[in-house]
Amino acid sequence: MQPALIEADTKMNTEAGNTVTTQESTRDWVRRLHGIGPIAGLVLLCIGGTLLNGDFATVDNILNVLTRTAFIGIIAVGMSFVIISGGIDLSVGSMAALIAGAMILMMNAIAESVTSPVLVVLLGIGFALLLGALFGLAHGLLITKGRIEPFIVTLGTLGIFRAYLTYFANGGAITLDGTLSEIYSPVYYASILGVPIPIWVFLVVALLGGLILNRTRYGRYVQAIGSNEQVARYAAVDVDRIKILTYMLLGICVGIATVLYVPRLGSASPTTGLLWELEAIAAVIVGGTALKGGEGRIAGTVIGAILLSVIGNILNLTSIISVYLNAAVQGIVIIIVAFLQRSRR
Amino acid sequence: MKSVLRTLVASCAILGAAASFAADPVVMGVSIPAATHGWTGGVVYWANRTKGELEKKYPGMKVIVKTAGSAAEQANQVQDLQTVNKINTLVILPFESAPLTQPVAQVKNKGVFVTVVDRGLTDTNAQSAYVAGDNPGFGKVAGEYVVKTLGGKGDVVILRGIPTVIDNQRVDGFNEALKGSEVKVLDAKHGNWNRDDAFKVMQDFLTRFKHIDAVWASDDDMAVGVQKAIAQAKRTDIKLVLGGAGSKDYIKKVMDGDKIVSADVTYSPSMIADAMNLTAEARAAGKDMPATTIIPSVLITKDNAAKYYHKDSPF
């Protein structure tokens, strides 16, 4: 480690309220700081938020923020797998929009023949998950069997998915029928034990994601492929199959996010899911996963996703910064957090 | 100039006939942004609808509608319309003002009649005529209605669109209309003419302000998100949510006597239809158009809502 960097770290530790006296404990602290960078960032941000506006720390506000994080957070969990395996998916925002639109159209269409609205909603949910898995499968096949760069494949589908949504919507919005909308809306708005359903789903997806990544053979293969694909091949890992599965897993996550998203506004429009891909990728990277693949943490991704929405929330709760500078504030916080958790090279 | 043009068109027609393809007297290119949100969706709908009407009304007239996803794409499209489709009339709703001024000016220099719609170019010499909605008026009409509904006193929050000149003009118009009343603007944030962003911003406004009398959502798409956020927070203090642009869903609410959505302000995507009609009429008669035509923003209330309700429009 270069002296300048140690100095910088020491300074930051002091700022975080920790007195570090000896060189040795500094190094110790620095090592641990890599993992907790996002948490440190989030804590600092929350302290700042509370100081700027007392309402920040209210239960209602925290639940609002966590609920709106759920979409990006769930997608980011899936995205973690793809990025750890050395891939990328730029299409998730458009995919979410198209799944939302297709799902609403499908539910509206069968509502006439299927009498039970609950069944219609359940079929819609199943359809969304299936569609997500199929889109993921298509990505995986094009990338592995078709041998096209993931960046290019998903850049292509980014355009295709949104164009088809716009086409189906005739440029306007696709809206869920009234009674269905009522039956479905609790999926976003209802709470269990005082905690909104999207937060529960986010929690379950994150726990499952962490379990799969760290406790299963599949998870280890994903990390191995991202770390060195050739070595993984020599070690008789079925690289293509594992990769296809990561894209399908992400597709299903997008499906789950969409299932939670649709009841919020009961509609999908060409602005649905705009720039979600960048938010999801940012959450993964801010959370400490290497963009080049090989290593990553689901917990970090979750913190990263929350951190990104907290910034937006604080900016809305205050008016000290010109609204034109919102994006700049977000950019600065992302860079600071990335700096806090930069890994040893 | 005009007679030269006509001879040119005529000779083109003769040449075209000689080359055994029919060239029409008026070939109108219509270049508009792609349908990426409700309002532009409406623009595309109205442009295509008017294309059919015009071609029926003026036999021999040809109308080509092109949509573009970005300013750069639209600039290329304008060139193609001129070189490939051989248009002699262009109706364009520019994606952005500055990047399209030069491409449009070049087309005009080649003798094409140019009507610019809604978003002005940075150099008015690049256009033959200008047709636009009334942005300061859009804000002013909304502001006046808010003052009237609140009885001259109350707290308002504003959701702004995407940071643009149009948005500034609207907000300035709104603030202007509040002057002299005791209506206070608590804060204004950008909802980017997007339902989801509006939902989040409104949630945070509701957390931050314990009492709000009215919301100027300034757009019907944003009003959707605003109303969902209010419903979720179960707030009953808000007496008015005023959108804008006249989407059919919100006009329907006004028509049906909704308690909170009691009015809407027009900024209709059908202005592209007005521009196409005015241009076609002037070109067919060989006359000039007024340099600037402003289509006023009108307050829609229960009394006149039926007039603005277009069931088939996607917006």
Side-chain angles (χ1 to χ4, degrees), chain A residues 140-204:
Chain A
L141 287 175
L142 284 167
I143 288 161
T144 55
K145 309 294 180 197
R147 299 219 192 117
I148 314 173
E149 284 291 320
F151 191 93
I152 300 301
V153 169
T154 56
L155 188 64
T157 50
L158 167 123
I160 297 169
F161 292 150
R162 195 167 294 284
Y164 268 95
L165 169 73
T166 312
Y167 172 73
F168 289 139
N170 210 351
I174 303 175
T175 307
L176 193 59
D177 283 347
T179 46
L180 285 176
S181 192
E182 256 166 58
I183 298 281
Y184 195 176
S185 78
V187 172
Y188 180 83
Y189 290 105
S191 303
I192 298 171
L193 304 174
V195 176
I197 289 175
I199 300 180
W200 286 111
V201 177
F202 182 21
L203 187 72
V204 170

Side-chain angles (χ1 to χ4, degrees), chain B residues 130-198:
Chain B
Y130 179 56
V131 177
D134 181 6
N135 283 301
F138 179 90
K140 186 167 157 265
V141 169
E144 282 165 356
Y145 185 75
V146 168
V147 171
K148 196 183 129 209
T149 315
L150 297 183
K153 196 174 175 236
D155 296 327
V156 184
V157 291
I158 300 177
L159 284 101
R160 310 182 54 155
I162 293 168
T164 44
V165 176
I166 292 176
D167 185 59
N168 292 346
Q169 288 176 340
R170 290 177 174 187
V171 175
D172 290 346
F174 184 85
N175 286 328
E176 195 68 31
L178 299 193
K179 273 191 186 150
S181 75
E182 283 176 59
V183 175
K184 202 178 116 208
V185 174
L186 297 172
D187 199 9
K189 294 269 185 210
H190 290 285
N192 305 323
W193 290 312
N194 176 321
R195 295 173 182 214
D196 293 311
D197 290 354

Side-chain angles (χ1 to χ4, degrees), chain B:
Chain B
M1 176 70 205
K2 234 178 292 154
S3 62
V4 172
L5 230 168
R6 225 172 298 151
T7 349
L8 219 127
V9 172
S11 49
C12 269
I14 295 162
L15 274 174
S20 85
F21 64 84
D24 299 315
V26 174
V27 184
M28 183 194 281
V30 179
S31 174
I32 49 181
T36 50
H37 65 273
W39 194 79
T40 45
V43 170
V44 175
Y45 163 81
W46 280 102
N48 283 316
R49 184 178 144 161
T50 315
K51 168 189 154 78
E53 287 170 3
L54 284 179
E55 285 178 341
K56 210 179 276 172
K57 193 170 163 196
Y58 302 98
M61 182 179 286
K62 201 172 152 200
V63 182
I64 305 146
V65 177
K66 295 263 183 199
T67 63
S70 68
E73 192 187 339
Q74 196 176 27
N76 293 338
Q77 228 168 51
V78 169
Q79 270 181 344
D80 290 350
L81 279 169
Q82 201 263 323
T83 53
V84 181
N85 302 97
K86 307 269 186 272
I87 56 163
N88 52 31
T89 308
L90 174 70
V91 176
I92 180 168
L93 202 164
F95 214 95
E96 279 172 61
S97 305
L100 280 153
T101 300
Q102 208 38 47
V104 172
Q106 280 181 11
V107 169
K108 184 175 175 254
N109 288 340
K110 289 185 180 139
V112 174
F113 185 94
V114 177
T115 302
V116 172
V117 187
D118 192 36
R119 300 172 196 172
L121 298 174
T122 44
D123 179 6
T124 48
N125 286 326
Q127 67 200 23
S128 314
Y130 179 56
V131 177
D134 181 6
N135 283 301
F138 179 90
K140 186 167 157 265
V141 169
E144 282 165 356
Y145 185 75
V146 168
V147 171
K148 196 183 129 209
T149 315
L150 297 183
K153 196 174 175 236
D155 296 327
V156 184
V157 291
I158 300 177
L159 284 101
R160 310 182 54 155
I162 293 168
T164 44
V165 176
I166 292 176
D167 185 59
N168 292 346
Q169 288 176 340
R170 290 177 174 187
V171 175
D172 290 346
F174 184 85
N175 286 328
E176 195 68 31
L178 299 193
K179 273 191 186 150
S181 75
E182 283 176 59
V183 175
K184 202 178 116 208
V185 174
L186 297 172
D187 199 9
K189 294 269 185 210
H190 290 285
N192 305 323
W193 290 312
N194 176 321
R195 295 173 182 214
D196 293 311
D197 290 354
F199 179 85
K200 287 183 211 166
V201 171
M202 193 60 207
Q203 266 194 337
D204 293 341
F205 274 155
L206 291 168
T207 304
R208 193 168 146 201
F209 304 113
K210 297 300 164 230
H211 180 87
I212 298 170
D213 290 301
V215 184
W216 183 41
S218 80
D219 176 80
D220 293 336
D221 257 345
M222 290 203 285
V224 173
V226 165
Q227 289 204 288
K228 288 282 180 184
I230 295 173
Q232 186 204 19
K234 297 192 179 70
R235 287 275 288 261
T236 50
D237 49 329
I238 294 145
K239 303 178 196 81
L240 171 69
V241 172
L242 184 58
S247 79
K248 65 174 177 188
D249 293 339
Y250 270 76
I251 294 179
K252 188 84 177 37
K253 285 189 186 208
V254 175
M255 250 163 94
D256 296 347
D258 191 291
K259 266 200 183 121
I260 292 178
V261 182
S262 54
D264 202 18
V265 181
T266 60
Y267 193 85
S268 176
S270 68
M271 72 174 63
I272 191 76
D274 295 333
M276 286 166 71
N277 275 314
L278 288 171
T279 309
E281 201 179 312
R283 297 288 285 156
K287 278 192 279 183
D288 256 340
M289 267 176 78
T292 304
T293 310
I294 297 289
I295 298 159
S297 283
V298 182
L299 186 73
I300 302 174
T301 57
K302 209 177 167 199
D303 302 329
N304 61 355
K307 205 178 117 196
Y308 296 95
Y309 186 64
H310 301 285
K311 206 165 171 280
D312 300 331
S313 167
F315 179 63

